Amino acid sequence: MSDQSDQQRAPRLYLSVAQELLTAMAAGEYVLGVRMPGDRELAARLGVSRTTVREAILALELIGAVEVRHGDGTYVRGPHAGVAAIEGSALDVAPRELIESRRALEPVVASFAATRIDTDRLRGLTRDLDEATEIVAEPSRIPRFMELGLRFHSDLALGCGNSLLAGIVGQLVDAETHPLWLLVNQHAVSSLQAREGQLRQHRDVLGAIASGDAARAAQAMTAHLASVDAVIFNPAASDAALRGDA
C-alpha cells in the first residue's frame, strides 16, 4: 500500500496503528523485552505502508512503550515506562499541560455537577461505567475502555450547568484534538490494575455527584486526576493510589 493511499484513508493513520500495537502488547502478543517484527512485516500484517509503521513506532518510542535499538530492532518496554524522561519534547509538554489544566478545572466541574446534573445524564454515566466494568479485564477491549473513560469526563462536564466549562473539558479529553495524549493514556492503563483503579475512582466521583455532595465530588475528582498524573508521569509512585491505599 502506498503512502498516498494511507493518507487518503486517514490523516492520523499512524496513531491508529500505534493503538493497535499497544492493544497487542496488553494482550500479551508482544511481551516485555521481546523484539517486535520489522516494519516490513508489520506493514504487511496491518495493511499499511512501512512509513506509517515507522511513524507509529516513533510515537510508541516517545511515550516509552518501546525502545528502538538502532541496528538491532524495536523492543517492548514495560507498561509503566512513563513519559517523564522525555524532557523538552512536544509530546512531553502536551500531556503535562493537559493534565495540569484538567486538575485545575474538573474538580470545580464535579462540584457543580453534584447540584446541577439531571437524572438522565446520571443514568447514562452509570451505563457507561457498567459497560467499562464488563470489559475491564479484556486487553483486546482497551480502546473501548479508553473511549468510555474519556466520555465519562466529557459527559459529566455536560451536566455541570456551565456550557463554557463543559466545552473546555470536552476539548481537553477529545482524542481527535489531542491524539498523542490518547496514546499516552492508553499506555498508562495497559495493566489490569491501572484500569481497575481508574474504574473505581470514576465510581467514587459519580457516587459523590449522585449524592449531591459537592465537596466530596470535588475531592474525588481531585484524587482521581492526581492518580492519572502519577500513573503517567511518576509510575513508581502510583501503585498505592491505584490499590486505594493512598
Side-chain angles (χ1 to χ4, degrees):
M1 181 177 293
S2 68
D3 294 349
Q4 183 177 5
S5 62
D6 272 359
Q7 293 169 358
Q8 290 172 345
R9 284 173 56 191
R12 289 170 174 161
L13 182 58
Y14 78 96
L15 289 167
S16 296
V17 171
Q19 281 190 278
E20 285 190 53
L21 293 174
L22 281 177
T23 300
M25 291 175 195
E29 184 175 347
Y30 306 119
V31 298
L32 175 65
V34 75
R35 185 169 66 178
M36 298 182 65
D39 54 25
R40 185 187 301 274
E41 181 179 342
L42 286 173
R45 182 181 302 180
L46 299 171
V48 297
S49 71
R50 294 175 68 185
T51 298
T52 297
V53 169
R54 293 189 192 107
E55 290 173 345
I57 293 297
L58 175 60
L60 294 178
E61 183 181 25
L62 286 173
I63 69 169
V66 302
E67 177 185 359
V68 177
R69 302 176 189 172
H70 295 288
D72 188 17
T74 301
Y75 290 80
V76 177
R77 298 182 67 190
H80 289 304
V83 297
I86 313 172
E87 297 298 337
S89 76
L91 182 60
D92 179 54
V93 171
R96 284 191 179 279
E97 290 186 351
L98 281 169
I99 194 61
E100 183 178 68
S101 299
R102 292 181 62 190
R103 291 181 73 172
L105 292 174
E106 289 195 64
V108 175
V109 166
S111 70
F112 286 172
T115 58
R116 300 175 180 179
I117 199 166
D118 60 62
T119 302
D120 286 343
R121 192 164 300 281
L122 272 175
R123 287 173 181 159
L125 289 165
T126 300
R127 284 194 299 269
D128 281 354
L129 286 183
D130 289 343
E131 181 183 347
T133 299
E134 292 175 359
I135 65 174
V136 67
E138 302 177 31
S140 64
R141 304 297 303 280
I142 289 178
R144 176 59 177 168
F145 182 87
M146 286 296 307
E147 179 185 348
L148 290 167
L150 293 175
R151 193 165 77 188
F152 174 84
H153 287 270
S154 61
D155 282 3
L156 188 156
L158 289 171
C160 79
N162 184 305
S163 60
L164 182 58
L165 281 174
I168 294 171
V169 171
Q171 290 180 13
L172 290 175
V173 299
D174 183 70
E176 290 298 317
T177 305
H178 304 289
L180 288 179
W181 161 259
L182 182 66
L183 282 185
V184 169
N185 212 5
Q186 181 175 337
H187 183 47
V189 297
S190 58
S191 74
L192 176 59
Q193 182 189 40
R195 295 194 299 278
E196 289 177 335
Q198 181 188 103
L199 191 54
R200 182 172 58 250
Q201 291 159 11
H202 280 181
R203 288 201 180 278
D204 288 345
V205 171
L206 190 59
I209 289 172
S211 71
D213 190 332
R216 186 160 67 89
Q219 183 180 35
M221 183 65 81
T222 296
H224 167 51
L225 293 175
S227 177
V228 173
D229 192 328
V231 168
I232 293 173
F233 295 108
N234 190 16
S238 70
D239 288 346
L242 289 173
R243 290 193 304 268
D245 298 339

